[in-house]
Amino acid sequence: MRAAGGSVRAELWGRLAASDPGLLRLTAGLRTVTSIALTLAVLAVLRADVTHLVAGAITAMVATFAIREKQRAQQAVTLALGLPTALASMSLGALLNSRVVIGDLFFVALIFCAVYGRRFGDRGTALGLIGFQIYFVSLFVHATVPALPGLYLAITVAFGCAALARFALVQQTPAGILDALRGAFRARFAQLVAAQAELLDAGPDELDKVVEEVRVRTARLHETALLIQGRLTDGTSDEAVARLVQRRIADAEIAAERLGLLLLTARGERRADTLTLHLPGAHLPSAAPAPVGDESLERLRLDLEALRLLVLRPAGPRSGTALAQLRNRLLGYREEENLPDASSAVQDVFRGVGETARAVLGLRIAMDGPQDESDDTPATSRSREELDAEDAAIEGAEEDEREAEEQTGLRRPTTRAAVQVAVGSSLAIVGGEFLSAQRWYWAVLTCWIVFINTASTGEILVKGYRRLLGTVLGVVAGIGLAGLVGHHTWTAFGLVLLFVFAMFYSAPLSYTLMSFFVTAMLGLLYTLLNTYSLDVLVLRIEETALGAVCGVIAAAVVLPVHTDRRTDELLVATLDRLADVTRASADQLSGAPPADLVEKARDLDQALADLAAAVQPLTHPITPLRSRRDTARYVVALLETCAYHARSLAATAELLPTHPAIAADPRLRGAGERIVHNIEAIAAHVAEREPAPGIETGPSIAAMLKPGTLGAPRYGRVTDRVLRHLQRLDEAVAGLARPLEVPVRSRAG
């Protein structure tokens, strides 16, 4: 019973780790709630009144979430600087509260400085956020000069409790975050393998649903890999270790995605190209998929379960021998003589299982250190030798550093955003004063918030719409909660803590949901301050709508960055990164000196993630331009396909120094030239460079090689895998020409 209970707890913990990579959302929510609860407890002991309790609670929340540095020493410095910033902001708010014109002008100047401060990194962003939010608190509690000593005490207590929560009670170090992210990667890896196993038994009616689940879990695995990429430098003391983990994460991700593609191919008549996104009109497995043979089916089912256990189970005295046996069996599929008697497609699946097991072995060594080798088979020993040789090559590689072009003046994003939000806030102040002389600041707050982490007019429009929707729903909830709570102060504060946790936990998932919890929480705070009424909550909706409109107007009129321009810039950046990866991979496969291909592939992934975020206004369900929405989805989906094949080429090219089955072939450089030319031609067309050449189509990649390649055995000088990835990449790049209206010219073979 005890073992069963432990197994259930481990399963639940694994699911939590997979749904919240690194437990970042959970930790953020717990730390903020702890900070607020401590502040309320201390102020209650000091017999502070409700106004000071509210001011202290909001300050504790701001002092907690504003700090974004990764190193604890930097966090401490920023928190220490934040206290005098908050005290100064509260003082100015109290002094200028009764001076309407001067106070409004100062508020606009403060907003400009707070946004402009983002150019100075995380510390500038945090101090600007603290200054703005505490000034907002002074307006919210109607701070006056005589009340300043009590408010100073509340602010000081809040910062002290925020420090205690961050550095003692809910600690989170860079190394700890990285370890948690690694656990999340394993959990999501295991979930993906479990979903892939369901492909074996899925009938025609279930196949689409199962394929969708595999695609979703593949995307989640990729998301966790990117999170780890962003934390590696700060979470490891040795740069060589960071590079090794980065490489092993990339290997495991590519192997897992390729295994899913091989399973789909074994189930269907057509070869699957991508699992990352639905392509409009994409070729899925046929309506009547070909079942895997009965004998192979049971063997594959057992092997996929063994692979899942190999990913999840830690090595130890009890499980060491059993895991070694599973590992040896799966790695044996990398040898031709161990493959079952089945069709070529099914044998490819077993090969994929073997390659994925090898990636898992490399992942375990990189994350957990050396493994017990006493039970190794010859196949496992060969895999270890390959991994050791790769590790030595990784440690000796030099990182490619690129300097980003620095924009100046009004072209600098922080300067432009500061000017825009200052203009938008000025409009919000004027309009807000007409709606309410006491609560005009809600419009300013909304205008401020819609500019945070947005870079185009379309993004601001979508964010404003989501905030308004969440506010309307939150007002409805606030009406009911205020009636239930009445004047029960500590019950209301308990619900406030619950909503704060929900706000932080849901923030990365849904901005609308986060806005809902914020508004419901504010309804409770109004109740505590005895200012609650239906008119007040309706006014909040009106002020929110006004602030969103002012933000959109400022973004559209003042130094505008139109969504089309923003997406075109990011599309060109993504294509440039794709060309870099493809060129470097083809060169290395042709015998060129090694380059840091994994780093280039990650740059491509990040550029593609930025593009996918920027096109959200074009793909949002409320957009009236359906053709543009379909085009944006199609282009991003094709780029996802290109990125997968480029990552796979990069991973294969990096195996050249150590893998006995892959050797350099100079002919591949010529085969890759057409792909790189086409990528650069599309980028030139999108960027409107002159002259913009058209893309070239013609013979297949394999046909472009000199005679002899097609007759080579599967693991000959040029592998089938390399040719397949090059061919699929060539087709996907050519597919970008039609939606982007790039001229096409055919070249004879």
Side-chain angles (χ1 to χ4, degrees):
M1 291 292 291
R2 188 176 300 172
S7 177
V8 171
R9 285 194 297 271
E11 179 70 18
L12 292 175
W13 183 255
R15 292 187 179 184
L16 177 62
S19 64
D20 180 13
L23 303 179
L24 298 179
R25 302 200 316 270
L26 178 66
T27 304
L30 287 177
R31 182 189 294 128
T32 307
V33 167
T34 302
S35 176
I36 296 173
L38 284 174
T39 301
L40 293 175
V42 173
L43 292 177
V45 170
L46 297 175
R47 300 185 182 278
D49 60 25
V50 172
T51 300
H52 293 150
L53 290 174
V54 171
I58 299 177
T59 301
M61 181 176 67
V62 174
T64 303
F65 77 75
I67 310 299
R68 296 296 179 90
E69 283 106 336
K70 297 175 182 177
Q71 298 295 334
R72 290 163 64 85
Q74 296 173 348
Q75 294 173 5
V77 172
T78 302
L79 196 59
L81 294 174
L83 178 57
T85 301
L87 295 175
S89 187
M90 179 62 74
S91 301
L92 290 168
L95 287 170
L96 301 176
N97 191 20
S98 60
R99 296 170 174 81
V100 178
V101 176
I102 297 177
D104 290 349
L105 291 175
F106 173 78
F107 200 13
V108 172
L110 176 63
I111 290 169
F112 176 89
C113 294
V115 176
Y116 186 78
R118 290 189 294 174
R119 69 167 295 196
F120 301 107
D122 289 336
R123 181 164 298 158
T125 302
L127 295 178
L129 185 58
I130 290 171
F132 170 82
Q133 291 287 1
I134 300 304
Y135 193 89
F136 171 82
V137 171
S138 74
L139 298 173
F140 185 74
V141 300
H142 302 289
T144 60
V145 174
L148 280 177
L151 291 171
Y152 287 163
L153 175 63
I155 291 173
T156 304
V157 168
F159 269 82
C161 292
L164 182 61
R166 176 177 295 275
F167 299 118
L169 300 179
V170 189
Q171 298 185 53
Q172 196 176 42
T173 63
I177 293 174
L178 182 58
D179 285 340
L181 285 173
R182 292 169 178 174
F185 186 85
R186 282 172 163 160
R188 286 191 165 181
F189 197 156
Q191 288 183 348
L192 174 57
V193 173
Q196 290 171 344
E198 294 179 10
L199 287 171
L200 297 175
D201 301 310
D205 297 334
E206 304 171 335
L207 187 58
D208 285 347
K209 181 180 179 181
V210 175
V211 169
E212 176 64 20
E213 184 64 21
V214 171
R215 291 186 175 191
V216 168
R217 293 188 180 185
T218 301
R220 288 176 179 172
L221 185 69
H222 183 60
E223 172 196 8
T224 311
L226 289 179
L227 284 173
I228 293 175
Q229 168 72 13
R231 298 278 182 173
L232 273 174
T233 302
D234 293 304
T236 53
S237 57
D238 188 349
E239 183 179 349
V241 173
R243 292 169 62 80
L244 176 60
V245 173
Q246 176 185 2
R247 168 60 189 272
R248 295 304 170 217
I249 290 287
D251 287 347
E253 179 193 351
I254 292 169
E257 184 169 0
R258 182 170 181 270
L259 178 58
L261 294 174
L262 293 172
L263 280 164
L264 270 181
T265 300
R267 286 295 312 265
E269 297 174 354
R270 300 180 184 272
R271 182 172 297 281
D273 291 335
T274 180
L275 281 167
T276 50
L277 278 177
H278 276 302
L279 275 169
H283 296 305
L284 293 176
S286 58
V292 180
D294 291 339
E295 295 181 4
S296 301
L297 176 65
E298 184 61 28
R299 187 169 176 178
L300 261 180
R301 189 183 293 113
L302 292 173
D303 286 340
L304 289 173
E305 176 61 19
L307 181 61
R308 191 183 73 85
L309 293 175
L310 194 63
V311 172
L312 282 178
R313 293 285 178 86
R318 293 185 178 181
S319 59
T321 302
L323 280 179
Q325 292 174 351
L326 294 178
R327 179 196 65 210
N328 293 340
R329 187 175 88 238
L330 300 184
L331 288 173
Y333 293 134
R334 301 185 69 222
E335 308 290 339
E336 291 292 305
E337 61 269 17
N338 294 328
L339 295 175
D341 185 14
S343 66
S344 175
V346 173
Q347 284 188 335
D348 278 343
V349 176
F350 281 98
R351 291 188 185 94
V353 170
E355 292 299 330
T356 307
R358 178 191 184 275
V360 172
L361 176 61
L363 195 63
R364 293 179 75 95
I365 294 173
M367 291 184 175
D368 303 329
Q371 309 287 300
D372 182 14
E373 304 179 18
S374 59
D375 296 321
D376 282 2
T377 62
T380 302
S381 297
R382 281 191 289 274
S383 295
R384 286 190 190 278
E385 291 170 1
E386 294 171 7
L387 292 169
D388 290 342
E390 290 174 19
D391 293 351
I394 293 170
E395 291 175 1
E398 294 183 359
E399 186 172 358
D400 178 27
E401 296 184 356
R402 286 188 298 268
E403 294 185 0
E405 180 183 354
E406 179 70 18
Q407 294 180 327
T408 58
L410 292 178
R411 294 182 58 198
R412 182 184 286 118
T414 50
T415 306
R416 181 177 61 245
V419 173
Q420 288 177 326
V421 73
V423 173
S425 298
S426 300
L427 295 175
I429 289 173
V430 175
E433 291 276 7
F434 280 108
L435 288 176
S436 171
Q438 288 77 35
R439 296 184 176 85
W440 52 268
Y441 46 79
W442 288 119
V444 181
L445 180 67
T446 299
C447 182
W448 154 280
I449 288 177
V450 297
F451 273 94
I452 301 299
N453 296 326
T454 53
S456 70
T457 306
E459 291 179 60
I460 292 171
L461 178 62
V462 170
K463 192 171 183 180
Y465 155 77
R466 289 172 174 168
R467 182 167 183 83
L468 180 59
L469 177 60
T471 299
V472 172
L473 297 175
V475 164
V476 175
I479 293 172
L481 289 170
L484 290 173
V485 171
H487 297 288
H488 296 84
T489 300
W490 293 109
T491 302
F493 272 122
L495 288 174
V496 166
L497 293 177
L498 178 63
F499 288 150
V500 167
F501 176 82
M503 177 178 67
F504 280 90
Y505 195 80
S506 63
L509 304 178
S510 170
Y511 187 72
T512 300
L513 194 59
M514 186 199 75
S515 299
F516 165 80
F517 287 120
V518 170
T519 303
M521 175 191 69
L522 290 172
L524 292 170
L525 294 180
Y526 278 134
T527 303
L528 291 169
L529 294 173
N530 295 317
T531 56
Y532 164 78
S533 70
L534 180 60
D535 292 339
V536 168
L537 293 179
V538 172
L539 177 64
R540 170 148 170 77
I541 295 177
E542 295 172 345
E543 296 279 4
T544 298
L546 174 65
V549 170
C550 291
V552 172
I553 291 174
V557 176
V558 181
L559 305 174
V561 177
H562 298 297
T563 304
D564 287 346
R565 172 187 160 191
R566 166 82 172 156
T567 54
D568 284 350
E569 290 175 351
L570 292 175
L571 175 57
V572 171
T574 303
L575 290 169
D576 289 342
R577 297 288 183 268
L578 179 61
D580 288 344
V581 176
T582 305
R583 182 186 297 106
S585 299
D587 287 348
Q588 193 157 319
L589 287 165
S590 304
D596 191 352
L597 298 179
V598 172
E599 184 69 23
K600 291 180 182 293
R602 285 304 178 208
D603 288 344
L604 169 61
D605 288 337
Q606 188 58 58
L608 185 53
D610 293 341
L611 174 63
V615 301
Q616 285 186 3
L618 301 178
T619 59
H620 197 275
I622 66 172
T623 181
L625 304 175
R626 300 300 176 90
S627 61
R628 287 179 63 194
R629 181 183 66 184
D630 293 341
T631 298
R633 286 177 175 173
Y634 188 81
V635 168
V636 172
L638 277 175
L639 286 171
E640 291 277 3
T641 301
C642 293
Y644 163 68
H645 293 295
R647 286 197 304 269
S648 299
L649 282 173
T652 305
E654 288 214 334
L655 294 176
L656 277 176
T658 59
H659 203 295
I662 304 175
D665 191 327
R667 296 174 295 179
L668 284 175
R669 181 178 286 108
E673 285 178 354
R674 184 175 77 188
I675 301 175
V676 174
H677 169 271
N678 287 346
I679 297 171
E680 293 175 340
I682 295 172
H685 178 83
V686 173
E688 298 181 349
R689 301 170 189 157
E690 296 293 344
I695 71 165
E696 296 179 351
T697 62
S700 68
I701 293 296
M704 291 173 65
L705 301 183
K706 295 179 181 179
T709 302
L710 296 181
R714 173 175 297 274
Y715 290 99
R717 203 169 178 219
V718 178
T719 66
D720 289 351
R721 185 186 306 180
V722 171
L723 290 177
R724 280 202 300 267
H725 287 309
L726 284 170
Q727 183 64 42
R728 298 292 182 255
L729 180 58
D730 184 50
E731 293 168 355
V733 170
L736 288 168
R738 181 179 61 79
L740 296 177
E741 300 179 351
V742 182
V744 179
R745 65 175 185 268
S746 179
R747 185 173 67 179

